[in-house]
Amino acid sequence: MAQVTPEVLWAQRSSNTDPEKNFIYLTISVPDVLKENLKLDVQPTTLTFTGHSETLKRTYHLELAFYGEIDAAETKINHTSRNVELKLRKKELNEEYWPRLLKEPKKVQFLKTDFDKWLDEDEQNEAPEEDFSQFGGMGGMPGMGGGDFSGIDFSKLGGSDTAAGIDEEEDDDSDDDMPALEGEEEEAKGEAKGEAKDEVKEEAKGEKEDAAKTPA
């Protein structure tokens, strides 16, 4: 089966003081690829990804050689039913952006700028804090051998992943917004109906008593 190169979107942030704000943001578009069908190897200067979609009957393969070094052990990942998102920390603290993502300056068709996440260098300080709470670590990095997802918190994945075959369910801290179960809903309807009947009976009884007291 022929391998397909997936579309990759990228953006970046830079800082010469804060490692958490000095990173590359990658989104690899691989719909319907389950976590057990993924192999991901992140090294200081390279990334290799292979994933297979059973529903689409398609195998994705990607190899990237980065412009600069990253701290592979600090890689964060978020897997969804459509994408694999990566936060790659740049090894060298520098307030200047990388001029490009890849080592070679040639243009490749599958790589595009992620304009939804891109900020110019002079806009970074004014931008709101970014939420990476849905991202998890990669366990045995960097020598993971391609595919150790033990560090990923799959409980944070959205409901769309369940449709793709991922059975992990999102944890809820509160049941306040949960809809009533079918039996509870019927019971509540029955109670409401009974209360309404009692009110009608009392009203009718009162009207009958008033009529009896009124002289003909």
Side-chain angles (χ1 to χ4, degrees):
M1 182 180 296
Q3 294 181 336
V4 177
T5 301
E7 180 182 76
V8 178
L9 301 180
W10 83 290
Q12 63 176 317
R13 303 290 183 269
S14 64
S15 174
N16 59 0
T17 57
D18 188 351
E20 290 293 332
K21 296 181 179 180
N22 190 53
F23 63 90
I24 298 293
Y25 197 130
L26 284 187
T27 301
I28 306 173
S29 179
V30 283
D32 295 346
V33 174
L34 306 183
K35 67 179 186 294
E36 57 265 27
N37 293 333
L38 294 179
K39 289 185 179 181
L40 180 63
D41 185 20
V42 181
Q43 300 296 331
T45 59
T46 62
L47 178 148
T48 304
F49 171 89
T50 302
H52 179 70
S53 169
E54 296 287 353
T55 56
L56 299 177
K57 307 300 181 186
R58 184 179 300 166
T59 297
Y60 299 95
H61 184 74
L62 176 69
E63 294 183 14
L64 301 177
F66 299 125
Y67 171 82
E69 286 193 41
I70 64 169
D71 188 347
E74 294 298 328
T75 297
K76 303 296 182 183
I77 183 171
N78 179 39
H79 172 258
T80 75
S81 64
R82 294 181 177 275
N83 306 309
V84 172
E85 300 174 311
L86 296 162
K87 181 185 179 185
L88 307 172
R89 183 184 292 183
K90 301 174 188 175
K91 187 173 183 178
E92 181 182 355
L93 288 170
N94 194 329
E95 64 180 357
E96 295 182 0
Y97 274 0
W98 285 5
R100 58 185 180 274
L101 175 65
L102 302 181
K103 181 179 180 179
E104 298 295 330
K106 64 180 180 180
K107 182 177 178 62
V108 290
Q109 296 298 319
F110 64 84
L111 182 63
K112 300 178 181 179
T113 301
D114 190 340
F115 290 107
D116 289 336
K117 297 181 176 65
W118 188 274
L119 292 174
D120 290 336
E121 292 177 53
D122 56 0
E123 297 175 338
Q124 296 181 94
N125 294 332
E126 288 74 30
E129 195 71 21
E130 294 172 277
D131 181 16
F132 289 99
S133 60
Q134 74 275 26
F135 283 65
M138 294 184 66
M141 290 292 297
M144 60 184 290
D148 180 5
F149 284 85
S150 60
I152 304 175
D153 185 1
F154 282 96
S155 66
K156 300 290 181 67
L157 298 181
S160 58
D161 289 337
T162 303
I166 298 177
D167 296 326
E168 288 79 1
E169 296 179 355
E170 185 175 358
D171 295 331
D172 288 327
D173 296 329
S174 172
D175 292 331
D176 294 342
D177 297 329
M178 291 290 289
L181 297 177
E182 185 176 345
E184 294 176 346
E185 186 175 357
E186 292 298 326
E187 183 178 350
K189 288 181 179 179
E191 290 176 356
K193 188 174 182 180
E195 291 173 358
K197 284 184 178 179
D198 291 340
E199 291 177 2
V200 171
K201 288 180 179 179
E202 289 297 327
E203 185 177 350
K205 184 177 179 181
E207 291 175 353
K208 186 175 182 181
E209 290 175 353
D210 291 340
K213 293 177 182 179
T214 302

